[in-house]
Every structure is written in C-alpha cells, then in structure tokens.
Amino acid sequence: MIEYSSDVFQDPGKSTTIYTLDIETTSLFRFPDGSYRTFDYRKPPEFYKGVDKIALPYIWMLGVNDTVYYGRNFMQLEEVFRILFDKDRKKIIWVHNLSFEFTFLQDIFDKYTVENMIARTVRKPIAFTIPEFNLQFRCTYMLTNLSLEKAAERYTDVRKKVGELDYNKCRTPRTYLDPVELDYCAYDIIVLFNIVRAFLRVYKRLNWIPYTQTGEVRKAFRKRVNYGYIMKIRKRIPDDIMYLKFNKAFQGGMTHPNTLYAGKTLEGVPSYDIASSYPTVMCLPIYPQGKYLPISPKYVDRLSRKNWCLLLRVRYYNIKAAKLNKYILGSKIIKQPDETKLGNEYNRYFDAGRLVRGDLVEMYLTDIDYDIIKEAYTYERCEILEAYSAVKGYLPKELIQFILELYGNKTKLKGVKGQEDFYMKQKQMLNSLFGCACTNILKNGCEYKGGEWLTPSLTPEYIHEKLEELRESKTNCFLYPWGCVTTAAARARLWKVISKFDSKIIYYDTDSVKYRDCVEVDKFIDEENKVIQQQLRETCERFDLDPELVAPLDNDGVPRPLGVWEKETKSYAVKFRTLGPKRYCYQTRDGKLHTVISGVGKKGAEALHGDIENFTNDLTFNYETAGKLISCYNDNQTRACIVDYKGKMFISNQKHGVALQPTTYNMSTTEAYESYIKEMQEGFKEGVWIN
C-alpha cells in the first residue's frame, strides 16, 4: 500500500524496519536575461561554458518499509531525522546513489557532525553517521553496482517506473505534482525498499548487510574460514614500503585495438571470450606462499618461474616494441627525477597510452609481466634495480573451493525458472571476487569535516596507520599481492593469443579478442583450452576436489568448463570498425549497429544513421545520442528567483547542489595518435616493412 503524507508518519519501531530516502531535483542554468531555466537542447555546448548552474530539490520521499511519506520543503527533513532519533538504536537510511543526495543534504548536515565516513573518493560517500540523530546513511548503488532500474530487475519483482516524469520541466517545491508524477516518485522508494529487503532476507539483520559489492563476497567467504586462516593472512601482509611497491606494480585489464586496422571497416570479425578469466587464474599454482624477501638481482633469470614469484624494479634502455600490439602501459612508467612534465628527455612514444619506444623506461613488475616484456619488446640493456621473491604455489584450499562452488552454482542455475535471484547472486559474487584482493586500502581514507571534503596525504604515518588497521583486522581474508598476480596472469593468457597472431588480432579487451577469421586461431584456441582444463584438473587432484567442479553441467546437461576460450555467436560482427581503445562499433547478422564507446550511452548507434562508415573521428554525438550527463557540483549556489513551468515563482536558498547537464561527445583523437596510425598503415615502422 502506498500512502502520501506531508507531515506525519508512524515508525513500527522494529529492528527490521527498512528506511529509505530519495529526492527529485531540478537542474537550472542562468540565461543572458538573468533568468534560471532548464536545459535548452537547441543551444550548443559552448553556450553553457561559464554559465551559473544551480539545482534544487522539489520533493523528498521517505520510506518506512513499503509506506511512502513525502514533503515538498526540503529542510523539513531535518525535523524528520529528529523524529527518527532513538538513543538506544541506530537506524539505517538507505539511499540509492548517496553521492547525489548527500550534496543536497549538506544544507542540513553542515549544522551537525558527520562521523565514520566511508568514501573511496571525494563526493562519493558509501556510508556515514549523524550522531545527533543516531542515523546511519548507506548507499545501495555501491552495494549493487547497478542503476535503480537494473537493481530492481535483478533483485525484485517490482519495476521502476520509467518515462513518466519529464526531468526537463522546471519544478520547485511550489509546483503542483499530479497523481502520475507522485506515483512515479513513490515507486522509486518502493523499488528501493524491495531491493534492501532482498538483502535482508540473506543477511537477517540490516546492520549485517555489507557496504559494497566486494563486501558481500568478503562476508560470504569469511564464514568459510577459521581464526587460524585469518592469522596466516595477517602474517603475510606486506610491510609499508613493500605495499607501495605492489601498488606501483598493479595493473588491471588490457584494452586496445591493433592500430593496423584503426578506422577501417572489416567484414566477418569473430571473437573469443574467456569464461571467468580472473576466477580461473586464481585456481592456478602461481601465488606467493609467504612474504616477498629481497634477493640479488643477478639471480632473477636463474630462478625457476614454476617455483618462485618475483617483484622487480626494472629499468630498460632503448626499448622498442617488437609487435604490432603493445604491452607496456605508459601510466605505470616511473617518472625519473630529472624528467620534465612532457618526458621529452627520454623520447617516449606511445600508441594510445601503450609504449612504442623509449630511451629509458623504469617500472615495477611481477615476474609474469617481466617475462612478457622480454618477448614483446627489444632493448639495448635491462637493469634490475630491486628484486624480491616468494615461493610460488596455490591460494588456500578454502578460497579455491569457494571459487569453484560459485562458478558451479552460476552455471547450473543459468536459465532455471524460479532461481533467477540466486543465479544472479552467484554470478555477481564470482565477478566481484578478484576485487577483494585488488582493493587498495590506502584509497579508502576520504573524510568530510566542517563542510569540506578532505583527502589524506600519503604520508608514512598515514600509510602505516591504514596498514596497521588491516593487520589488526579479524575479518580480512585476502592479500593485495594476490590481486597483482591475478590480473598479471589473466593478461598473460590474453597476451599469449595476441602475440601468436599479432597481425590478425583486431581488438582485445581484458578477457576477449576480435580477430581476422582463420582456422589457425581456432586450432590454437583449442590447444589452449586443453591446457587450462588440464591445469584445473590438477588443481582438483591437489586438493582432493571433485573434478566436475571445473566443468559443471548447465541446465541442459552440457559441460561448461571454467576458463576456456568460448567463441561468441550473438556478437559476431558482420562489419566492424574501431577508432581506438573503448571506441568501436559493429553490425550483427540482423543488420543492427552497436556502439561501444566510453562516455556514450546505449543510443550511440543512432548517430550512425544506419551506416557504419559514419563512424569516424569527425563524428559528434548530440545530446540525445550521447546520453551523457555532467555532474556540476556547487557548494555556494546563487540565491535565485525561479519561475516553474506553470508560472509559479519560488525563491531558492539551497546552498549545496548538483546540476546535471547534458553534453555532446566528440570522437576526435590526438594528432600524435593519428600520425602513428598513418605511419603503421602505410606499411613502414622505422624503415622496416611490417605487413
């Protein structure tokens, strides 16, 4: 039942009572005549540069379980929070995308104390407490990593209402909202209530629900291990200096096109994806069994890669790419003390962020990266400045068994009627698992004090304090070095295919490759699949696990081996074009065009007007096809007189706000990248024919 009230609500007073909060706002822009109006799509982007932008809430909705209460005066929420105060029980208020609501709530909270802030970056709170109200606010977006609409689809039978509220109409607290608009607002709360309730069913108590998606995995795995496991993890946490070195060595996935094909329309482009790439390598014997200890650099090339993990600081002189596809990521190169901001002293040249050549390049590397660079580049000299080693082996049995059970559940439940929720839960946990090891604890220190966001300086004292917290934790089950090895091993599997078929690879992205169709690729993939399946069977033998765990049967009784390269059929590209990393489009067999562009929404393909040849560096996505909003934060908004779309006047005194501004997106690239593409495609690289 949905009820509307403007002033009074009842609190059931139970520990399972779910409180939710949402607001609707209007974004306004100051026009030359001094008036504040909603976004005018007829104006070019240049018109909005330097324009004063404000935003104001015109309705708030508070949910007490499935009952919705609302108010039009935003500052009334202060009284609501005061009514909710219970000195004996801290209540949780759930907000989807708390970073948005928090900015507006600063008008209230700046008079009170904000404690226990959990935030990875400035303006992105995950949770915090207001002690004067004994209320904790939590972000359900960080818990689900999904929009409210998608989270509703995944966790509930209720659906968010879409398209019934025109966000580009100027509304104020004085604007009349009709029943359809009010119902739209109310259903956001109903949806949010049902999402939280789905988590409550699993965790039994509201305060036991994790803060984040990786937190879910941590809690689930923590139940599987004993205190002895926790103590072993504590002893293996790197010291302060080594932790920073692992941080410098850590890299994520690989995403890049083969520049040989940039800007060209290719026909018949198949692709392969790895089934659960990160969980796969986490089941292999490639992980440190203790702390890394210093060794003499002269032993590095003598040590067996089968038996030893390495962390190295390496300096390369006159290094050049030996492949069409490049491996070294420019952002991981250590800046030299005598280097200018442009780095011109060392003549480094890049292929859209990946190193082509350089006079001097210094990096922290795992043994996996070090061995790949040996094959991917030539160099005059390699100098190992620091070296650390640890005995190599498997991750703990408890973790491997947990991974395989998650993969098995996901596989068996896919497509099973009535098990959709549990399937999505297993899939989400499996995909988030490696993130537990990759979490950098030094990034979780943002605070909000005295009305200002504070980012901690990475001083030795701060680093030591954060790592001491980790060492004293009774719940930490993962090690940061595991994350470094996991992503490196996944890149190695991807690079093996890229390197083997260098000129035939068109595009790659973390766990997938698109390539020029040929039987040699298929044969090589088949052999690689046999190798990984054998390695995983050996893992099962090592820990006396059922071998069916690495090749569970799906709902149709078909084996789905973990970690194998699978040929994609739905996304087979009849035509394919790429212009750079995270910039490609393709046409499927049904004639539909699809775009994958970082910063452009799902309507991007409409900008091509049905012709893939329109996907060029001159292409501009307009406001509608870009589907992109810029968040304009303002902590000192102008006091403004606003006239809503019905002609009613309102004086806005809202100090803090986030104006959401539509924007266009231009596909232009840098001159340096275009020059490199031309050089590659003309067939010569430093005087050598490469075709």
Side-chain angles (χ1 to χ4, degrees):
M1 175 180 174
I2 301 174
E3 298 179 3
Y4 299 109
S5 172
S6 59
D7 50 2
V8 178
F9 60 88
Q10 298 295 317
D11 176 8
K14 299 178 181 178
S15 60
T16 56
T17 302
I18 297 172
Y19 300 93
T20 50
L21 177 67
D22 188 27
I23 64 174
E24 295 294 344
T25 68
T26 294
S27 297
L28 299 166
F29 307 84
R30 185 170 183 171
F31 279 65
D33 62 2
S35 64
Y36 284 86
R37 307 181 215 165
T38 54
F39 192 83
D40 187 343
Y41 285 85
R42 295 168 298 180
K43 303 289 186 184
E46 294 75 20
F47 175 84
Y48 292 97
K49 290 182 179 178
V51 167
D52 188 28
K53 306 171 180 70
I54 65 172
L56 71 149
Y58 59 83
I59 184 172
W60 55 262
M61 296 81 70
L62 180 85
V64 183
N65 289 332
D66 59 351
T67 302
V68 182
Y69 303 92
Y70 72 85
R72 304 302 303 277
N73 182 342
F74 186 67
M75 298 306 289
Q76 284 177 338
L77 277 173
E78 184 175 5
E79 182 60 28
V80 171
F81 298 150
R82 193 172 287 115
I83 293 171
L84 287 174
F85 173 76
D86 183 342
K87 64 181 178 64
D88 298 320
R89 178 169 64 91
K90 182 182 291 183
K91 297 174 182 176
I92 300 172
I93 296 182
W94 305 86
V95 185
H96 204 76
N97 195 9
L98 182 56
S99 61
F100 183 79
E101 267 79 1
F102 178 74
T103 302
F104 293 90
L105 287 167
Q106 285 176 247
D107 273 32
I108 298 172
F109 293 158
D110 281 356
K111 295 184 287 184
Y112 298 95
T113 309
V114 178
E115 288 185 347
N116 305 318
M117 174 63 75
I118 302 173
R120 290 175 182 162
T121 58
V122 168
R123 298 190 184 275
K124 300 292 182 183
I126 298 171
F128 61 88
T129 301
I130 307 296
E132 289 89 344
F133 302 132
N134 205 17
L135 293 175
Q136 184 187 49
F137 291 77
R138 291 201 195 182
C139 181
T140 51
Y141 176 79
M142 296 302 298
L143 176 61
T144 62
N145 203 28
L146 295 167
S147 67
L148 188 62
E149 181 183 356
K150 294 297 182 183
E153 293 173 2
R154 176 168 294 187
Y155 294 103
T156 79
D157 294 328
V158 183
R159 293 295 174 262
K160 174 178 165 53
K161 292 184 180 295
V162 179
E164 296 174 4
L165 191 68
D166 184 351
Y167 280 91
N168 212 39
K169 282 184 177 180
C170 179
R171 297 182 180 87
T172 76
R174 294 193 64 203
T175 306
Y176 170 75
L177 300 181
D178 63 34
V180 173
E181 292 171 317
L182 287 173
D183 204 43
Y184 176 96
C185 296
Y187 258 85
D188 279 1
I189 289 292
I190 296 299
V191 164
L192 188 52
F193 159 70
N194 279 277
I195 291 169
V196 177
R197 187 169 64 170
F199 281 93
L200 180 59
R201 290 194 192 103
V202 175
Y203 293 99
K204 309 307 179 187
R205 292 178 59 177
L206 290 166
N207 61 335
W208 288 355
I209 296 175
Y211 290 107
T212 63
Q213 198 173 66
T214 54
E216 262 207 283
V217 184
R218 293 177 192 278
K219 281 206 169 189
F221 181 60
R222 176 64 182 89
K223 295 176 182 178
R224 308 282 292 261
V225 299
N226 56 28
Y227 187 67
Y229 177 97
I230 300 296
M231 292 305 295
K232 285 181 182 179
I233 294 298
R234 280 189 186 182
K235 292 177 182 178
R236 294 182 184 181
I237 294 173
D239 63 38
D240 301 359
I241 300 299
M242 283 299 293
Y243 192 94
L244 291 174
K245 291 175 180 179
F246 278 110
N247 187 233
K248 291 177 180 177
F250 177 82
Q251 296 182 50
M254 294 175 62
T255 300
H256 214 276
N258 186 334
T259 313
L260 201 61
Y261 302 111
K264 295 182 177 180
T265 300
L266 306 174
E267 296 187 358
V269 177
S271 62
Y272 274 104
D273 288 356
I274 301 176
S276 301
S277 178
Y278 288 144
T280 299
V281 297
M282 292 178 79
C283 297
L284 302 179
I286 56 175
Y287 290 88
Q289 302 302 289
K291 286 187 175 182
Y292 284 71
L293 299 175
I295 62 170
S296 172
K298 67 182 181 182
Y299 294 120
V300 167
D301 289 321
R302 302 179 196 175
L303 289 176
S304 166
R305 295 294 185 265
K306 182 179 180 181
N307 300 322
W308 295 95
C309 294
L310 297 172
L311 179 68
L312 309 170
R313 181 171 182 166
V314 188
R315 182 178 291 169
Y316 297 96
Y317 296 88
N318 292 328
I319 185 169
K320 298 177 183 178
K323 303 284 183 180
L324 294 171
N325 295 287
K326 319 302 186 299
Y327 185 78
I328 294 176
L329 190 61
S331 62
K332 303 305 294 186
I333 296 173
I334 297 172
K335 193 172 183 179
Q336 299 300 306
D338 60 341
E339 196 170 343
T340 67
K341 290 183 179 179
L342 297 177
N344 289 333
E345 281 97 337
Y346 300 107
N347 294 315
R348 298 193 194 114
Y349 195 55
F350 296 94
D351 173 359
R354 300 212 169 256
L355 183 74
V356 177
R357 62 175 179 266
D359 293 347
L360 185 149
V361 169
E362 188 175 319
M363 304 175 69
Y364 277 97
L365 302 168
T366 66
D367 53 290
I368 298 169
D369 295 308
Y370 175 70
D371 290 338
I372 290 174
I373 290 173
K374 275 186 178 181
E375 181 260 350
Y377 290 83
T378 61
Y379 39 85
E380 182 181 297
R381 182 162 60 96
C382 167
E383 183 180 356
I384 299 175
L385 305 177
E386 300 174 34
Y388 307 88
S389 69
V391 174
K392 185 177 286 188
Y394 288 98
L395 290 175
K397 178 181 178 180
E398 299 94 329
L399 182 51
I400 291 175
Q401 191 165 4
F402 183 62
I403 292 168
L404 296 179
E405 287 179 10
L406 287 176
Y407 179 73
N409 289 337
K410 185 198 83 163
T411 303
K412 294 171 186 175
L413 296 171
K414 186 175 183 180
V416 178
K417 192 173 182 179
Q419 295 293 322
E420 293 85 359
D421 287 351
F422 191 48
Y423 161 74
M424 292 307 303
K425 189 78 164 177
Q426 302 300 297
K427 181 179 179 180
Q428 180 181 339
M429 291 179 70
L430 184 67
N431 293 341
S432 301
L433 190 62
F434 94 99
C436 297
C438 296
T439 301
N440 181 2
I441 194 172
L442 301 181
K443 289 187 176 181
N444 292 340
C446 289
E447 296 182 344
Y448 183 81
K449 289 184 178 180
E452 292 185 4
W453 282 97
L454 304 174
T455 303
S457 300
L458 290 180
T459 61
E461 293 77 17
Y462 174 78
I463 294 167
H464 184 71
E465 178 187 343
K466 296 298 288 185
L467 288 172
E468 279 300 295
E469 290 176 9
L470 192 62
R471 295 181 187 108
E472 294 171 7
S473 170
K474 296 179 181 179
T475 59
N476 178 44
C477 302
F478 298 86
L479 290 168
Y480 189 60
W482 293 353
C484 295
V485 173
T486 296
T487 54
R491 287 194 303 275
R493 290 196 68 203
L494 182 67
W495 182 258
K496 192 171 182 180
V497 175
I498 294 169
S499 177
K500 175 72 175 178
F501 300 99
D502 192 29
S503 65
K504 295 186 182 299
I505 301 299
I506 297 168
Y507 191 94
Y508 51 91
D509 189 352
T510 305
D511 59 359
S512 67
V513 292
K514 300 184 186 298
Y515 62 98
R516 303 302 299 263
D517 202 0
C518 66
V519 293
E520 288 81 5
V521 175
D522 295 333
K523 290 178 181 178
F524 185 78
I525 291 292
D526 286 342
E527 292 302 314
E528 286 298 297
N529 285 344
K530 291 176 184 176
V531 169
I532 194 65
Q533 289 177 75
Q534 177 58 32
Q535 289 175 327
L536 292 174
R537 284 193 291 269
E538 290 172 3
T539 300
C540 291
E541 291 174 11
R542 169 69 174 78
F543 292 109
D544 194 26
L545 299 173
D546 186 346
E548 288 188 8
L549 287 172
V550 297
L553 304 179
D554 65 13
N555 190 33
D556 297 321
V558 179
R560 298 294 180 185
L562 172 66
V564 299
W565 289 90
E566 298 175 332
K567 204 162 191 176
E568 280 293 313
T569 54
K570 291 182 180 179
S571 62
Y572 177 83
V574 176
K575 292 183 179 180
F576 180 90
R577 277 176 73 90
T578 179
L579 300 175
K582 294 291 184 184
R583 289 183 171 196
Y584 66 85
C585 69
Y586 61 97
Q587 185 179 28
T588 45
R589 288 189 175 98
D590 58 7
K592 290 184 179 179
L593 287 173
H594 309 264
T595 55
V596 177
I597 307 164
S598 179
V600 174
K602 56 186 178 182
K603 290 186 177 181
E606 294 177 11
L608 302 179
H609 302 293
D611 189 351
I612 198 170
E613 298 298 329
N614 289 329
F615 191 69
T616 68
N617 288 326
D618 298 324
L619 179 64
T620 296
F621 295 87
N622 61 25
Y623 296 124
E624 288 80 8
T625 55
K628 184 178 180 182
L629 294 172
I630 300 173
S631 296
C632 306
Y633 291 88
N634 193 341
D635 293 318
N636 191 23
Q637 292 193 148
T638 306
R639 186 174 185 269
C641 177
I642 299 164
V643 179
D644 71 8
Y645 79 100
K646 292 179 178 290
K648 279 193 175 182
M649 185 183 297
F650 177 79
I651 303 297
S652 171
N653 293 304
Q654 180 75 29
K655 182 181 178 183
H656 301 277
V658 188
L660 301 177
Q661 177 185 328
T663 185
T664 59
Y665 185 88
N666 192 283
M667 289 289 290
S668 62
T669 57
T670 64
E671 289 185 11
Y673 188 45
E674 289 183 6
S675 175
Y676 182 67
I677 291 172
K678 183 178 180 181
E679 180 182 357
M680 287 278 286
Q681 294 183 357
E682 285 180 351
F684 286 91
K685 183 75 178 80
E686 297 180 352
V688 178
W689 182 256
I690 60 172
N691 285 342

